Amino acid sequence: MTPSTKLPEKTGRRKINTDDPRFRIKPYQQIASACTGGIITSLIMTPLDVVKTRIQTQQKLLLSNKCFLYCNGLMDHLCPCGPNSAPLKNHLHLNGTIDAFIKISRSEGVKALWSGLGPTLVSALPSTVIYFVAYEQIRRHTKDFHNKHLGGTDMPLYVPLFAGVSSRIFAVTMVSPLELIRTKMQSQKMTYKEMTNAVRTMIQADGALVLFKGLPPTIYRDVPFSGIYWSCYEALKWYYQVTDPTFGFSFTAGAVAGSVAATITTPFDLIKTYQQIEFGEQVIYTDKPRPNIPIKTTSERLKEVYRLHGFRGLFAGLLPRLAKVAPACAVMISSFEYGKSFFYKLNVQRYNENHM
């Protein structure tokens, strides 16, 4: 048995089985754990991303009808960039991260560091819940199928890999049209009737698939990231023989797994950023959609970046990405695992009370 083949279920300091049918965590408990993790991650990561976004956008004051992309660890968000865009109305000259924290807090109040938190929670929580609950359900059913038909009680490494890939595909496909509609409504302050007409126009011009136009680059980046992340995380639990991870272990393992996955998928993240910004400028942040505008494929963009900037160009922005992804993954998975542990112990307590 090696780390690359088997992940034992009942080894280590805490010899429990969270998949025991008697104490198994219910879907609504998984939802509660995912919601808690999502909220905590948003609260911690949003100020960091607000500062990063302000610093980046101060270099684009002369650009109009453009947009930029930011992510607070849970979701990507397109914003218009120009003199009238929200981050630039009360422009401050910022000289680094610490200076930005101080100036924004003094001039706009501490609450400004959490600007955009509401839309983030409304948009990111459903996606986060779908993703984590889907992962838990797919992982459990895949593991049960493996144990039933192939025997044994261990969990092969392909189980978290398959569950991570499948859950991410399901989550991003579910929310992709909603994200497009939400972003367009926010960018142009549309009513629901105006949004309906705009969506109808877009569908008539480009077909129903226009609602999923940003889906392929998202899948190219997020699906490999998810598969690598969960495989690394479960492998770390196997290596250190942990079945009921503490908050500290989950935090560290989540940061490590997130860093590995982020590093490997950075070229796809780079291309996804290009394509989302281009799509935002062509469709979202315009009064009328402009159909039949050719958009380069992911492979074409990768070849172009490699030709112009070499291998290093494919990993541009790696350090800032790690600085964002690693803590976000650490906070999210440790909060989620802590919630699962809480509900597991609660289920054990209830079971014992009912069978005394």
Side-chain angles (χ1 to χ4, degrees):
M1 182 182 297
T2 64
S4 61
T5 57
K6 296 292 183 181
L7 299 173
E9 192 64 52
K10 290 187 177 182
T11 59
R13 181 173 60 85
R14 301 184 179 191
K15 299 186 178 183
I16 68 172
N17 184 2
T18 56
D19 287 330
D20 190 321
R22 297 173 300 172
F23 321 125
R24 184 171 285 168
I25 300 172
K26 308 295 189 298
Y28 75 87
Q29 294 174 329
Q30 295 170 350
I31 291 174
S33 300
C35 281
T36 302
I39 292 172
I40 294 175
T41 304
S42 295
L43 289 172
I44 294 176
M45 297 302 297
T46 295
L48 299 175
D49 215 65
V50 166
V51 168
K52 178 180 69 69
T53 302
R54 294 291 188 93
I55 293 174
Q56 289 177 339
T57 55
Q58 75 176 358
Q59 302 174 11
K60 303 179 181 180
L61 282 172
L62 300 179
L63 297 179
S64 59
N65 299 323
K66 298 291 182 180
C67 61
F68 59 90
L69 182 73
Y70 79 87
C71 176
N72 59 9
L74 288 180
M75 62 176 289
D76 294 330
H77 190 73
L78 278 169
C79 292
C81 182
N84 296 322
S85 60
L88 302 177
K89 286 182 179 178
N90 300 314
H91 175 62
L92 298 170
H93 183 69
L94 308 175
N95 299 308
T97 302
I98 302 300
D99 183 62
F101 271 109
I102 295 174
K103 287 183 177 179
I104 293 173
S105 300
R106 286 178 177 176
S107 64
E108 303 175 37
V110 177
K111 290 184 179 180
L113 294 173
W114 280 271
S115 59
L117 178 61
T120 294
L121 293 177
V122 171
S123 302
L125 280 184
S127 175
T128 302
V129 169
I130 292 173
Y131 173 49
F132 276 84
V133 174
Y135 171 79
E136 287 292 313
Q137 294 296 315
I138 295 173
R139 181 194 64 81
R140 179 172 64 83
H141 286 295
T142 305
K143 178 177 176 293
D144 289 345
F145 178 86
H146 170 83
N147 294 340
K148 179 180 179 180
H149 294 278
L150 299 179
T153 59
D154 296 338
M155 184 169 67
L157 195 58
Y158 82 81
V159 171
L161 176 64
F162 174 75
V165 167
S166 302
S167 58
R168 178 56 74 180
I169 292 176
F170 179 69
V172 298
T173 303
M174 289 285 290
V175 302
S176 182
L178 299 178
E179 280 296 301
L180 172 64
I181 293 172
R182 177 192 61 80
T183 304
K184 193 167 183 66
M185 287 186 69
Q186 289 181 342
S187 67
Q188 300 177 11
K189 297 181 180 179
M190 291 181 169
T191 64
Y192 285 101
K193 182 177 180 180
E194 291 172 337
M195 186 66 243
T196 302
N197 292 333
V199 171
R200 185 181 296 113
T201 301
M202 292 168 61
I203 293 176
Q204 290 175 348
D206 286 344
L209 292 180
V210 71
L211 298 177
F212 297 90
K213 206 163 187 176
L215 183 59
T218 302
I219 287 179
Y220 290 147
R221 182 198 67 177
D222 290 358
V223 170
F225 179 96
S226 183
I228 296 168
Y229 172 78
W230 286 111
S231 298
C232 289
Y233 181 73
E234 295 292 349
L236 287 170
K237 289 170 65 177
W238 180 91
Y239 184 81
Y240 289 101
Q241 298 186 338
V242 174
T243 56
D244 183 22
T246 63
F247 185 89
F249 177 87
S250 296
F251 189 93
T252 304
V256 172
S259 297
V260 173
T263 299
I264 296 175
T265 59
T266 291
F268 297 104
D269 177 67
L270 180 69
I271 302 306
K272 178 177 182 287
T273 299
Y274 288 164
Q275 291 186 332
Q276 280 191 309
I277 291 176
E278 183 179 78
F279 181 58
E281 294 170 358
Q282 292 178 353
V283 177
I284 297 177
Y285 293 103
T286 56
D287 294 330
K288 295 181 180 180
R290 291 179 283 172
N292 302 323
I293 297 178
I295 297 180
K296 295 180 180 179
T297 64
T298 299
S299 61
E300 289 174 340
R301 286 189 181 275
L302 286 172
K303 292 177 182 178
E304 182 180 38
V305 172
Y306 179 77
R307 185 177 68 254
L308 295 176
H309 305 288
F311 183 77
R312 292 183 62 182
L314 295 174
F315 291 87
L318 174 59
L319 292 181
R321 176 163 158 79
L322 289 177
K324 174 182 63 180
V325 171
C329 288
V331 173
M332 183 64 212
I333 192 61
S334 56
S335 301
F336 181 65
E337 290 279 27
Y338 185 86
K340 286 171 54 183
S341 178
F342 169 81
F343 285 116
Y344 174 82
K345 294 173 183 176
L346 180 63
N347 293 344
V348 171
Q349 180 181 349
R350 289 176 178 174
Y351 180 87
N352 292 334
E353 291 175 352
N354 294 331
H355 293 79
M356 288 182 64

